[in-house]
Amino acid sequence: WNLCSGETKVLLGHEDRVDNVQFSSDSSQVVSCGDNSVRVWNIEREEEVRRITFYTRVSCFSLHEEKSLLCLG
């Protein structure tokens, strides 16, 4: 949701609620987690660019872009 313009974007893909979302430092991507997956989205193209799927729910993560690391919980 762009607070200035009011424009919204909906990124479809998670099969259950989304528990955590974080923008990349350059705001070109968003990382989200929920259901049993973590997904990386391209904001401009409104599409999923990467998905990691697990056997159980992923409810949180921390993104360290400088080292290209993602810590999951």
Side-chain angles (χ1 to χ4, degrees), residues 17-35:
R17 75 176 188 262
V18 174
D19 293 318
N20 194 5
V21 176
Q22 184 176 333
F23 280 97
S24 62
S25 60
D26 66 0
S27 298
S28 68
Q29 296 183 325
V30 165
V31 179
S32 62
C33 73
D35 55 36

Side-chain angles (χ1 to χ4, degrees), residues 8-20:
T8 60
K9 294 187 182 217
V10 177
L11 305 172
L12 300 174
H14 285 285
E15 297 174 12
D16 199 356
R17 75 176 188 262
V18 174
D19 293 318
N20 194 5

